[in-house]
Amino acid sequence: MIVIKEKSACCGCQACKMACPAKCISMVCDNEGFLYPKVNQADCLDCHLCEKTCPLLNKTTVRETAPVACFAAISKDAETRLLSSSGGVFSLLAESIIKQGGVVFGAQFDDQFTVCHSCTETMDGLAPLRGSKYAQSDLRNSYSQVRQFLKEKRPVLFTGTPCQIAGLRGYLQNKDDDSLFLVSVVCHGAPSPQVWKEYLMHVTNDTLPTAVSMRDKTEGWSRYKMVIKRNHETCLNTTATDTPFMRAFLSNLTLRPSCYSCQFRGDHGSDLTLGDYWGIEEIHPDMSDDKGTSLILVYTSKGQQLLSNLDLKLKESRYEDAVKGNPSIIYSAYRPAERTLFWRAFRRHGAKALNDYTTENNTARVRRLWARLLRKFRIG
Ligand SMILES: Cc1cc2nc3c(=O)[nH]c(=O)nc-3n(C[C@H](O)[C@H](O)[C@H](O)COP(=O)(O)OP(=O)(O)OC[C@H]3O[C@@H](n4cnc5c(N)ncnc54)[C@H](O)[C@@H]3O)c2cc1C
């Protein structure tokens, strides 16, 4: 039976819950807003399937090789590219699977603006999956749905963070299926869904928005913005560096504990990995126009096959060059010394704490210093 002793030992993929034949595992939110499995022992059959599917307990699910190829890529569909976070490669891959009668899984906002995994079989259904959502996605029952579609011999494209891909592989017991295509995103780390929700409600004065973009590129890919709208009113329109939620994400304060020692950097079992090709202006200036350039890492021949016949401007690149501008490919995010203090402040002050802990104004610095001294005094 799965027992989570250390929070860092669970990535929240929910493979254990979905694999449990007795349905005795539920996912419970901790005080940072992350989901962890809880077993109802009375109903447990002691079959150990939960442990056998866990991608963290079964490190063999992770292959340790460098990509076989690396590309800079730009979708030739300018409209879709503008709506995508990077170069719009996800949409092209998804469209090609749908044209073959397949199903595409990815992260979207639900009607409460919680990030969750969902699937679509239509071109129109791709719009909500497009674009990065910087909160950990709740996988709900998506792995079981994947298995069902595979049984029906439908092509399936499953996209998500590296740990979500490893979780799905664990759930399917690492059985390869020619109809299953696995595409991960390079992942800096998964921010708390609770912080996202509280920040959103703070910005919108406790009413649900009608549209959210965490990677609005209308003023350029490099100066991307977070835009939140309620009908015709703009509640927020700020660059990442001016957005407390994004600053907290990028300074690692709000990430899931397992992200600080991520076990799925490099090759984690996906066919392709997509990211932003940061630094492209120096490496391949002809692929740089500040409208978004994707990085594609190819791990398998199936991945190579996925890329053929896409309407892409593609340029072969060196893995070492890609890693230089994008350390998240190989390194876990560092755990900031102030993480504990931040969470204490967040529980007390809510979204306001995001600003205090991500701006170096004197008040915040002095408050933090005091808190640190008090803590030291109490511990010592
Ligand atoms: C939490 C997170 C951290 C990231 N960190 C980095 C990074 O450090 N460096 C980097 O180069 N790229 C990072 N990315 C990936 C990048 O932002 C783009 O998602 C990726 O380049 C694909 O872009 P696109 O233009 O092809 O497609 P888009 O349409 O922009 O992306 C859609 C894809 O992103 C997936 N997705 C969106 N939100 C989530 C989520 N919350 N959980 C799981 N999957 C999600 C969708 O399922 C879909 O596959 C991150 C993405 C996320 C979600």
Side-chain angles (χ1 to χ4, degrees), residues 84-90 106-107 115 117 129-135 137 159-161 164 185-189 215 274-276 294 326 328:
S84 307
S85 304
S86 314
V89 176
F90 160 73
V115 183
H117 260 63
L129 305 185
R130 200 167 285 136
S132 294
K133 290 98 187 165
Y134 294 118
S137 173
T159 65
T161 58
Q164 292 171 338
V185 290
V186 174
C187 182
H188 175 79
R215 289 289 295 264
L274 306 178
D276 291 286
S294 285
N326 208 331
S328 298

Side-chain angles (χ1 to χ4, degrees), residues 31-324:
N31 64 356
E32 295 181 350
F34 293 109
L35 294 170
Y36 292 88
K38 188 166 182 247
V39 182
N40 175 357
Q41 294 185 25
D43 292 341
C44 177
L45 304 172
D46 261 336
C47 67
H48 302 282
L49 212 53
C50 49
E51 288 142 300
K52 286 179 200 152
T53 56
C54 173
L56 275 151
L57 288 176
N58 300 281
K59 289 283 293 302
T60 47
T61 56
V62 183
R63 288 173 270 150
E64 284 167 9
T65 48
V68 291
C70 170
F71 296 97
I74 288 174
S75 165
K76 289 185 187 161
D77 177 343
E79 207 179 312
T80 307
R81 183 177 170 214
L82 179 66
L83 296 169
S84 307
S85 304
S86 314
V89 176
F90 160 73
S91 293
L92 290 178
L93 294 169
E95 284 165 13
S96 97
I97 293 289
I98 285 176
K99 277 183 204 153
Q100 296 168 45
V103 187
V104 176
F105 285 78
Q108 67 169 60
F109 291 117
D110 71 7
D111 57 359
Q112 297 299 303
F113 281 85
T114 299
V115 183
C116 62
H117 260 63
S118 181
C119 67
T120 184
E121 302 169 45
T122 68
M123 295 292 180
D124 287 347
L126 288 179
L129 305 185
R130 200 167 285 136
S132 294
K133 290 98 187 165
Y134 294 118
Q136 185 164 39
S137 173
D138 179 349
L139 284 155
R140 301 193 175 161
N141 63 346
S142 51
Y143 293 169
S144 336
Q145 286 178 291
V146 168
R147 186 156 66 186
Q148 187 53 40
F149 285 122
L150 292 176
K151 270 191 196 151
E152 293 165 16
K153 307 271 177 235
R154 304 273 302 274
V156 173
L157 171 66
F158 187 91
T159 65
T161 58
C163 57
Q164 292 171 338
I165 300 293
L168 174 58
R169 286 182 62 84
Y171 175 80
L172 299 172
Q173 299 185 355
N174 281 313
K175 284 188 196 128
D176 284 322
D177 188 312
D178 288 346
S179 307
L180 177 62
F181 300 90
L182 298 172
V183 174
S184 59
V185 290
V186 174
C187 182
H188 175 79
S192 156
Q194 184 187 345
V195 173
W196 159 240
K197 234 8 183 337
E198 290 202 25
Y199 179 70
L200 180 66
M201 289 298 118
H202 173 73
V203 166
T204 59
N205 279 326
D206 288 323
T207 50
L208 281 174
T210 46
V212 171
S213 169
M214 294 190 170
R215 289 289 295 264
D216 181 276
K217 298 196 290 192
T218 44
E219 283 183 26
W221 172 52
S222 53
R223 274 180 51 81
Y224 68 87
K225 300 211 260 176
M226 185 184 279
V227 177
I228 300 179
K229 289 187 178 168
R230 194 179 37 218
N231 301 321
H232 298 297
E233 179 198 356
T234 301
C235 307
L236 187 87
N237 185 351
T238 48
T239 58
T241 46
D242 289 329
T243 310
F245 174 82
M246 290 303 289
R247 284 202 305 261
F249 162 47
L250 295 169
S251 56
N252 306 342
L253 286 167
T254 56
L255 305 184
R256 188 176 177 100
S258 58
C259 298
Y260 303 112
S261 51
C262 175
Q263 302 294 311
F264 308 108
R265 303 275 150 188
D267 181 4
H268 41 266
S270 63
D271 297 303
L272 296 175
T273 298
L274 306 178
D276 291 286
Y277 205 133
W278 298 125
I280 192 71
E281 61 286 359
E282 279 166 24
I283 296 158
H284 303 297
D286 54 322
M287 295 291 285
S288 167
D289 57 4
D290 206 22
K291 292 180 182 165
T293 305
S294 285
L295 166 69
I296 308 179
L297 303 175
V298 183
Y299 285 99
T300 62
S301 50
K302 223 201 273 180
Q304 197 90 51
Q305 175 201 328
L306 264 179
L307 284 183
S308 52
N309 302 322
L310 297 187
D311 203 12
L312 271 178
K313 184 177 170 193
L314 206 60
K315 179 149 201 163
E316 183 130 29
S317 192
R318 281 171 14 114
Y319 181 53
E320 301 74 39
D321 287 337
V323 170
K324 250 185 249 164

